[in-house]
Amino acid sequence: MEKLSDENTLVPKYLQEYDISEECKELLTTLPSEKGWITKHLYQYQGFWFAPKGLQGALSCQKHFQALDTDILLVTSPKSGTTWLKALSFALINRNKYPNIHSNSNHPLLTTNPHNLVPFWETGLYYNKDFVPDLKTISPPRIFSTHLSYESLPKSVKDSTCKVVYLCRDPKDVFVSFWHFINKLKTKSSETLSLEEAFESFCRGVCPFGPFWEHVLGYWKKSLESSKKVMFLKYEEMKMKPYFYLKEIAKFLECPFSQEEESKGVVDGILNLCSFDKLSNLEVNKTEKVSFNVENKYFFRLGQIGDWKNHLTTEMIEHINSITKQKLANHGLSF
Ligand code: PAP
């Protein structure tokens, strides 16, 4: 894999294609590959598609991550509401440490992007070649996040009683959000796919961490099998009933809100602090970058349900809806 030009060093870290470990390089030569969305290629590993650095991070965390029973893992397919879930979970878990959630307080979410408070595995902690982070110093409960499929999670996650919160979203909105995101990441020399090309690729399952439907299904099945292990959430439902779902997440994570907290407005306070309007208007989220070199503002676009109506043709909508129906309806899942 060639070293990229200087301009490409401006590309988000996880999309750079050089500085890959020997183990990963060797594996890449054996995997099916397709044209990438922004990296040159995507590679299929354990049934899902990875950019090279994403795969390296996945291999490293599969090998090295040791789960504690108290860990919390937030999982999403990209563009399903990761930033929101990270903010909510961080504020929820740390509500005794940071009880003051008002605008003039010292709450970390007011000065730090949620991605820097809840680190990704494959594009964050395990991103660097041949580097294993020391996570023992983090005081429990530790919160991590990943886009990995259920099948690809490190073994210790499955063997421990740590909790997994999975958030998914209507694939039409996921696709549109993804499309806008990759366009923002585009550098002068990088070749991106047209909307039509990207749509065709997404529908075939070829996108970073895709296929979307298999990703969702893996966690859905696990949540049915083991509701104490995996909580399954939908972005649309959370947008419509945020108060209810934040309380459900708190119960699942075994830190339910007390009556007193509810009457003091703690639930509403967290929801306001983590709302799209609040987070997207913070100075930090307008001007700074997350640790993996992406502008914070790129994670805040519209934060709405149904923007797909403004982007997809009738044929596209019918096509993607029919895939969703065919792949998920038999399992009692719809969007
Ligand atoms: P990631 O998976 O790449 O980390 P993720 O946060 O899932 O990113 O994607 C960003 C989407 O979440 C954006 O959706 P959109 O493009 O349809 O607008 C973004 O606007 C939305 N988002 C970010 N923060 C919030 C929030 N606090 N509440 C609701 N939606 C949010």
Side-chain angles (χ1 to χ4, degrees):
M1 216 153 287
E2 84 263 35
K3 183 150 172 100
L4 299 180
S5 67
D6 283 349
E7 189 209 342
N8 277 312
T9 59
L10 299 173
V11 164
K13 282 182 171 181
Y14 60 93
L15 295 174
Q16 292 170 7
E17 298 196 51
Y18 61 92
D19 203 26
I20 304 271
S21 69
E22 288 308 310
E23 180 197 13
C24 185
K25 265 191 215 162
E26 238 169 74
L27 178 64
L28 288 177
T29 63
T30 68
L31 300 176
S33 72
E34 288 252 8
K35 185 178 175 188
W37 279 42
I38 196 157
T39 53
K40 276 195 184 137
H41 296 101
L42 287 170
Y43 297 86
Q44 193 180 34
Y45 177 66
Q46 296 179 335
F48 291 82
W49 292 94
F50 290 86
K53 280 293 227 182
L55 178 61
Q56 176 177 279
L59 296 177
S60 177
C61 83
Q62 284 178 342
K63 196 158 154 191
H64 300 291
F65 180 75
Q66 281 307 319
L68 300 177
D69 285 340
T70 48
D71 284 345
I72 296 164
L73 181 60
L74 309 179
V75 191
T76 49
S77 188
K79 305 297 146 203
S80 300
T82 321
T83 315
W84 189 25
L85 183 63
K86 286 186 180 192
L88 288 172
S89 307
F90 180 88
L92 172 68
I93 292 303
N94 291 293
R95 67 189 192 270
N96 293 328
K97 193 167 169 192
Y98 305 110
N100 193 346
I101 43 184
H102 304 293
S103 298
N104 57 353
S105 76
N106 64 348
H107 198 287
L109 278 165
L110 296 171
T111 49
T112 314
N113 180 275
H115 290 288
N116 285 349
L117 294 171
V118 178
F120 274 118
W121 278 341
E122 61 282 357
T123 54
L125 294 169
Y126 293 94
Y127 162 81
N128 282 321
K129 178 174 90 163
D130 304 327
F131 173 76
V132 182
D134 179 10
L135 307 177
K136 288 193 208 84
T137 50
I138 306 175
S139 51
R142 308 181 302 180
I143 318 180
F144 302 108
S145 86
T146 185
H147 290 318
L148 290 180
S149 67
Y150 188 80
E151 294 76 359
S152 295
L153 290 182
K155 188 171 177 304
S156 71
V157 170
K158 299 175 185 173
D159 293 344
S160 73
T161 59
C162 76
K163 303 270 189 185
V164 176
V165 181
Y166 185 76
L167 175 62
C168 64
R169 187 180 188 187
D170 184 330
K172 299 189 286 304
D173 277 333
V174 168
F175 168 73
V176 168
S177 182
F178 224 150
W179 164 251
H180 282 284
F181 187 70
I182 59 163
N183 275 310
K184 285 174 190 150
L185 299 183
K186 202 161 75 168
T187 62
K188 266 183 264 154
S189 62
S190 67
E191 203 193 312
T192 46
L193 304 170
S194 68
L195 180 92
E196 290 71 23
E197 250 185 307
F199 183 78
E200 187 271 334
S201 186
F202 184 85
C203 288
R204 284 192 300 117
V206 184
C207 63
F209 302 97
F212 169 85
W213 296 271
E214 278 72 6
H215 201 281
V216 172
L217 206 49
Y219 285 95
W220 171 245
K221 284 182 182 166
K222 200 64 209 168
S223 74
L224 296 178
E225 228 174 272
S226 179
S227 59
K228 281 204 164 120
K229 177 79 182 173
V230 179
M231 177 178 213
F232 188 93
L233 296 164
K234 289 180 184 164
Y235 181 91
E236 293 74 19
E237 291 178 350
M238 281 187 49
K239 283 288 281 187
M240 285 187 283
K241 286 165 71 181
Y243 195 96
F244 172 80
Y245 282 104
L246 181 57
K247 286 202 322 175
E248 288 300 293
I249 297 172
K251 277 191 236 162
F252 175 74
L253 297 179
E254 295 170 12
C255 56
F257 291 101
S258 64
Q259 270 305 332
E260 194 193 343
E261 283 184 304
E262 278 201 60
S263 47
K264 275 188 181 162
V266 177
V267 183
D268 280 321
I270 292 177
L271 289 172
N272 288 336
L273 174 65
C274 302
S275 68
F276 180 87
D277 285 348
K278 177 76 197 175
L279 292 182
S280 61
N281 284 308
L282 293 171
E283 195 56 23
V284 61
N285 291 327
K286 286 181 172 172
T287 56
E288 293 184 26
K289 286 185 173 187
V290 290
S291 55
F292 45 92
N293 201 25
V294 177
E295 302 270 357
N296 288 348
K297 60 176 180 250
Y298 293 174
F299 292 95
F300 303 96
R301 192 181 63 93
L302 276 181
Q304 301 287 337
I305 302 171
D307 188 39
W308 51 267
K309 293 183 192 118
N310 303 316
H311 293 80
L312 305 182
T313 64
T314 312
E315 291 74 37
M316 284 169 151
I317 296 164
E318 279 170 9
H319 184 51
I320 195 165
N321 281 347
S322 77
I323 299 173
T324 302
K325 196 168 169 204
Q326 180 219 323
K327 296 207 177 188
L328 303 183
N330 285 347
H331 300 274
L333 196 52
S334 61
F335 287 96

PDB file of all heavy atoms in Angstrom, residues 15-34:
ATOM      1  N   LEU A  15      -9.080   6.943   8.065  1.00  0.00           N
ATOM      2  CA  LEU A  15      -9.227   6.721   6.632  1.00  0.00           C
ATOM      3  C   LEU A  15      -7.887   6.702   5.906  1.00  0.00           C
ATOM      4  O   LEU A  15      -7.819   6.516   4.710  1.00  0.00           O
ATOM      5  CB  LEU A  15     -10.138   7.796   6.024  1.00  0.00           C
ATOM      6  CG  LEU A  15     -11.578   7.753   6.524  1.00  0.00           C
ATOM      7  CD1 LEU A  15     -12.371   8.918   5.989  1.00  0.00           C
ATOM      8  CD2 LEU A  15     -12.245   6.448   6.107  1.00  0.00           C
ATOM      9  N   GLN A  16      -6.806   6.922   6.648  1.00  0.00           N
ATOM     10  CA  GLN A  16      -5.498   6.852   6.013  1.00  0.00           C
ATOM     11  C   GLN A  16      -5.175   5.387   5.717  1.00  0.00           C
ATOM     12  O   GLN A  16      -5.595   4.494   6.426  1.00  0.00           O
ATOM     13  CB  GLN A  16      -4.444   7.471   6.935  1.00  0.00           C
ATOM     14  CG  GLN A  16      -4.658   8.974   7.074  1.00  0.00           C
ATOM     15  CD  GLN A  16      -3.809   9.596   8.149  1.00  0.00           C
ATOM     16  OE1 GLN A  16      -2.958   8.945   8.731  1.00  0.00           O
ATOM     17  NE2 GLN A  16      -4.051  10.856   8.409  1.00  0.00           N
ATOM     18  N   GLU A  17      -4.403   5.209   4.645  1.00  0.00           N
ATOM     19  CA  GLU A  17      -4.205   3.829   4.199  1.00  0.00           C
ATOM     20  C   GLU A  17      -2.786   3.337   4.394  1.00  0.00           C
ATOM     21  O   GLU A  17      -2.427   2.284   3.896  1.00  0.00           O
ATOM     22  CB  GLU A  17      -4.618   3.693   2.733  1.00  0.00           C
ATOM     23  CG  GLU A  17      -6.092   4.004   2.538  1.00  0.00           C
ATOM     24  CD  GLU A  17      -6.630   3.520   1.211  1.00  0.00           C
ATOM     25  OE1 GLU A  17      -6.424   2.339   0.891  1.00  0.00           O
ATOM     26  OE2 GLU A  17      -7.243   4.324   0.508  1.00  0.00           O
ATOM     27  N   TYR A  18      -1.946   4.144   5.023  1.00  0.00           N
ATOM     28  CA  TYR A  18      -0.588   3.659   5.242  1.00  0.00           C
ATOM     29  C   TYR A  18      -0.391   3.393   6.728  1.00  0.00           C
ATOM     30  O   TYR A  18      -1.298   3.590   7.536  1.00  0.00           O
ATOM     31  CB  TYR A  18       0.440   4.644   4.688  1.00  0.00           C
ATOM     32  CG  TYR A  18       0.397   6.007   5.308  1.00  0.00           C
ATOM     33  CD1 TYR A  18       1.189   6.314   6.405  1.00  0.00           C
ATOM     34  CD2 TYR A  18      -0.454   6.994   4.807  1.00  0.00           C
ATOM     35  CE1 TYR A  18       1.152   7.562   6.977  1.00  0.00           C
ATOM     36  CE2 TYR A  18      -0.497   8.251   5.388  1.00  0.00           C
ATOM     37  CZ  TYR A  18       0.301   8.531   6.475  1.00  0.00           C
ATOM     38  OH  TYR A  18       0.248   9.757   7.062  1.00  0.00           O
ATOM     39  N   ASP A  19       0.802   2.968   7.091  1.00  0.00           N
ATOM     40  CA  ASP A  19       1.120   2.666   8.480  1.00  0.00           C
ATOM     41  C   ASP A  19       0.228   1.541   9.026  1.00  0.00           C
ATOM     42  O   ASP A  19      -0.386   1.642  10.076  1.00  0.00           O
ATOM     43  CB  ASP A  19       0.952   3.932   9.338  1.00  0.00           C
ATOM     44  CG  ASP A  19       1.786   3.828  10.616  1.00  0.00           C
ATOM     45  OD1 ASP A  19       2.785   3.097  10.587  1.00  0.00           O
ATOM     46  OD2 ASP A  19       1.428   4.460  11.610  1.00  0.00           O
ATOM     47  N   ILE A  20       0.186   0.475   8.258  1.00  0.00           N
ATOM     48  CA  ILE A  20      -0.623  -0.691   8.623  1.00  0.00           C
ATOM     49  C   ILE A  20       0.334  -1.779   9.140  1.00  0.00           C
ATOM     50  O   ILE A  20       1.424  -1.944   8.604  1.00  0.00           O
ATOM     51  CB  ILE A  20      -1.350  -1.241   7.366  1.00  0.00           C
ATOM     52  CG1 ILE A  20      -2.190  -0.142   6.710  1.00  0.00           C
ATOM     53  CG2 ILE A  20      -2.153  -2.479   7.650  1.00  0.00           C
ATOM     54  CD1 ILE A  20      -3.572   0.004   7.174  1.00  0.00           C
ATOM     55  N   SER A  21      -0.083  -2.509  10.120  1.00  0.00           N
ATOM     56  CA  SER A  21       0.784  -3.559  10.667  1.00  0.00           C
ATOM     57  C   SER A  21       0.992  -4.677   9.632  1.00  0.00           C
ATOM     58  O   SER A  21       0.162  -4.872   8.733  1.00  0.00           O
ATOM     59  CB  SER A  21       0.161  -4.150  11.936  1.00  0.00           C
ATOM     60  OG  SER A  21      -0.996  -4.876  11.589  1.00  0.00           O
ATOM     61  N   GLU A  22       2.091  -5.397   9.797  1.00  0.00           N
ATOM     62  CA  GLU A  22       2.397  -6.481   8.854  1.00  0.00           C
ATOM     63  C   GLU A  22       1.272  -7.520   8.852  1.00  0.00           C
ATOM     64  O   GLU A  22       0.863  -8.015   7.815  1.00  0.00           O
ATOM     65  CB  GLU A  22       3.723  -7.163   9.237  1.00  0.00           C
ATOM     66  CG  GLU A  22       4.956  -6.310   8.967  1.00  0.00           C
ATOM     67  CD  GLU A  22       4.991  -5.770   7.539  1.00  0.00           C
ATOM     68  OE1 GLU A  22       4.810  -6.572   6.611  1.00  0.00           O
ATOM     69  OE2 GLU A  22       5.190  -4.549   7.356  1.00  0.00           O
ATOM     70  N   GLU A  23       0.779  -7.828  10.039  1.00  0.00           N
ATOM     71  CA  GLU A  23      -0.292  -8.820  10.176  1.00  0.00           C
ATOM     72  C   GLU A  23      -1.527  -8.403   9.355  1.00  0.00           C
ATOM     73  O   GLU A  23      -2.109  -9.200   8.615  1.00  0.00           O
ATOM     74  CB  GLU A  23      -0.675  -8.922  11.663  1.00  0.00           C
ATOM     75  CG  GLU A  23      -1.767  -9.919  11.958  1.00  0.00           C
ATOM     76  CD  GLU A  23      -2.404  -9.710  13.339  1.00  0.00           C
ATOM     77  OE1 GLU A  23      -2.179  -8.664  13.973  1.00  0.00           O
ATOM     78  OE2 GLU A  23      -3.157 -10.607  13.756  1.00  0.00           O
ATOM     79  N   CYS A  24      -1.860  -7.122   9.459  1.00  0.00           N
ATOM     80  CA  CYS A  24      -3.045  -6.635   8.760  1.00  0.00           C
ATOM     81  C   CYS A  24      -2.794  -6.594   7.258  1.00  0.00           C
ATOM     82  O   CYS A  24      -3.655  -6.988   6.467  1.00  0.00           O
ATOM     83  CB  CYS A  24      -3.425  -5.263   9.316  1.00  0.00           C
ATOM     84  SG  CYS A  24      -4.945  -4.631   8.623  1.00  0.00           S
ATOM     85  N   LYS A  25      -1.590  -6.150   6.870  1.00  0.00           N
ATOM     86  CA  LYS A  25      -1.249  -6.088   5.436  1.00  0.00           C
ATOM     87  C   LYS A  25      -1.408  -7.460   4.803  1.00  0.00           C
ATOM     88  O   LYS A  25      -1.972  -7.616   3.730  1.00  0.00           O
ATOM     89  CB  LYS A  25       0.209  -5.642   5.277  1.00  0.00           C
ATOM     90  CG  LYS A  25       0.358  -4.167   5.052  1.00  0.00           C
ATOM     91  CD  LYS A  25       1.795  -3.885   4.637  1.00  0.00           C
ATOM     92  CE  LYS A  25       2.225  -2.561   5.216  1.00  0.00           C
ATOM     93  NZ  LYS A  25       3.641  -2.344   5.259  1.00  0.00           N
ATOM     94  N   GLU A  26      -0.892  -8.457   5.517  1.00  0.00           N
ATOM     95  CA  GLU A  26      -0.952  -9.819   4.995  1.00  0.00           C
ATOM     96  C   GLU A  26      -2.400 -10.284   4.853  1.00  0.00           C
ATOM     97  O   GLU A  26      -2.794 -10.863   3.845  1.00  0.00           O
ATOM     98  CB  GLU A  26      -0.239 -10.762   5.963  1.00  0.00           C
ATOM     99  CG  GLU A  26       0.886 -11.521   5.310  1.00  0.00           C
ATOM    100  CD  GLU A  26       1.717 -12.225   6.349  1.00  0.00           C
ATOM    101  OE1 GLU A  26       1.217 -13.239   6.870  1.00  0.00           O
ATOM    102  OE2 GLU A  26       2.830 -11.750   6.648  1.00  0.00           O
ATOM    103  N   LEU A  27      -3.179  -9.987   5.881  1.00  0.00           N
ATOM    104  CA  LEU A  27      -4.584 -10.394   5.848  1.00  0.00           C
ATOM    105  C   LEU A  27      -5.311  -9.720   4.678  1.00  0.00           C
ATOM    106  O   LEU A  27      -6.088 -10.363   3.963  1.00  0.00           O
ATOM    107  CB  LEU A  27      -5.258 -10.035   7.182  1.00  0.00           C
ATOM    108  CG  LEU A  27      -6.742 -10.353   7.292  1.00  0.00           C
ATOM    109  CD1 LEU A  27      -6.991 -11.863   7.198  1.00  0.00           C
ATOM    110  CD2 LEU A  27      -7.325  -9.828   8.603  1.00  0.00           C
ATOM    111  N   LEU A  28      -5.016  -8.426   4.477  1.00  0.00           N
ATOM    112  CA  LEU A  28      -5.709  -7.685   3.412  1.00  0.00           C
ATOM    113  C   LEU A  28      -5.549  -8.348   2.050  1.00  0.00           C
ATOM    114  O   LEU A  28      -6.486  -8.347   1.247  1.00  0.00           O
ATOM    115  CB  LEU A  28      -5.177  -6.241   3.336  1.00  0.00           C
ATOM    116  CG  LEU A  28      -5.584  -5.295   4.475  1.00  0.00           C
ATOM    117  CD1 LEU A  28      -4.917  -3.935   4.303  1.00  0.00           C
ATOM    118  CD2 LEU A  28      -7.087  -5.120   4.554  1.00  0.00           C
ATOM    119  N   THR A  29      -4.370  -8.942   1.827  1.00  0.00           N
ATOM    120  CA  THR A  29      -4.137  -9.552   0.508  1.00  0.00           C
ATOM    121  C   THR A  29      -5.019 -10.781   0.286  1.00  0.00           C
ATOM    122  O   THR A  29      -5.180 -11.232  -0.840  1.00  0.00           O
ATOM    123  CB  THR A  29      -2.659  -9.970   0.330  1.00  0.00           C
ATOM    124  OG1 THR A  29      -2.382 -10.966   1.321  1.00  0.00           O
ATOM    125  CG2 THR A  29      -1.703  -8.809   0.478  1.00  0.00           C
ATOM    126  N   THR A  30      -5.582 -11.313   1.354  1.00  0.00           N
ATOM    127  CA  THR A  30      -6.388 -12.535   1.214  1.00  0.00           C
ATOM    128  C   THR A  30      -7.896 -12.248   1.182  1.00  0.00           C
ATOM    129  O   THR A  30      -8.696 -13.163   1.024  1.00  0.00           O
ATOM    130  CB  THR A  30      -6.140 -13.485   2.408  1.00  0.00           C
ATOM    131  OG1 THR A  30      -6.682 -12.863   3.592  1.00  0.00           O
ATOM    132  CG2 THR A  30      -4.661 -13.762   2.618  1.00  0.00           C
ATOM    133  N   LEU A  31      -8.278 -10.976   1.404  1.00  0.00           N
ATOM    134  CA  LEU A  31      -9.707 -10.683   1.581  1.00  0.00           C
ATOM    135  C   LEU A  31     -10.365 -10.165   0.306  1.00  0.00           C
ATOM    136  O   LEU A  31      -9.709  -9.480  -0.492  1.00  0.00           O
ATOM    137  CB  LEU A  31      -9.879  -9.621   2.674  1.00  0.00           C
ATOM    138  CG  LEU A  31      -9.365  -9.973   4.069  1.00  0.00           C
ATOM    139  CD1 LEU A  31      -9.529  -8.786   5.020  1.00  0.00           C
ATOM    140  CD2 LEU A  31     -10.098 -11.201   4.619  1.00  0.00           C
ATOM    141  N   PRO A  32     -11.666 -10.430   0.140  1.00  0.00           N
ATOM    142  CA  PRO A  32     -12.385  -9.811  -0.973  1.00  0.00           C
ATOM    143  C   PRO A  32     -12.331  -8.294  -0.821  1.00  0.00           C
ATOM    144  O   PRO A  32     -12.394  -7.797   0.305  1.00  0.00           O
ATOM    145  CB  PRO A  32     -13.837 -10.284  -0.773  1.00  0.00           C
ATOM    146  CG  PRO A  32     -13.780 -11.417   0.191  1.00  0.00           C
ATOM    147  CD  PRO A  32     -12.530 -11.258   0.987  1.00  0.00           C
ATOM    148  N   SER A  33     -12.178  -7.581  -1.919  1.00  0.00           N
ATOM    149  CA  SER A  33     -12.164  -6.126  -1.796  1.00  0.00           C
ATOM    150  C   SER A  33     -13.073  -5.488  -2.836  1.00  0.00           C
ATOM    151  O   SER A  33     -13.403  -6.095  -3.858  1.00  0.00           O
ATOM    152  CB  SER A  33     -10.741  -5.591  -1.902  1.00  0.00           C
ATOM    153  OG  SER A  33     -10.300  -5.695  -3.229  1.00  0.00           O
ATOM    154  N   GLU A  34     -13.503  -4.285  -2.533  1.00  0.00           N
ATOM    155  CA  GLU A  34     -14.374  -3.510  -3.424  1.00  0.00           C
ATOM    156  C   GLU A  34     -13.908  -2.069  -3.368  1.00  0.00           C
ATOM    157  O   GLU A  34     -13.214  -1.673  -2.427  1.00  0.00           O
ATOM    158  CB  GLU A  34     -15.823  -3.555  -2.911  1.00  0.00           C
ATOM    159  CG  GLU A  34     -16.508  -4.878  -3.097  1.00  0.00           C
ATOM    160  CD  GLU A  34     -17.574  -4.844  -4.179  1.00  0.00           C
ATOM    161  OE1 GLU A  34     -17.687  -3.833  -4.897  1.00  0.00           O
ATOM    162  OE2 GLU A  34     -18.286  -5.861  -4.296  1.00  0.00           O
TER     163      GLU A  34
END
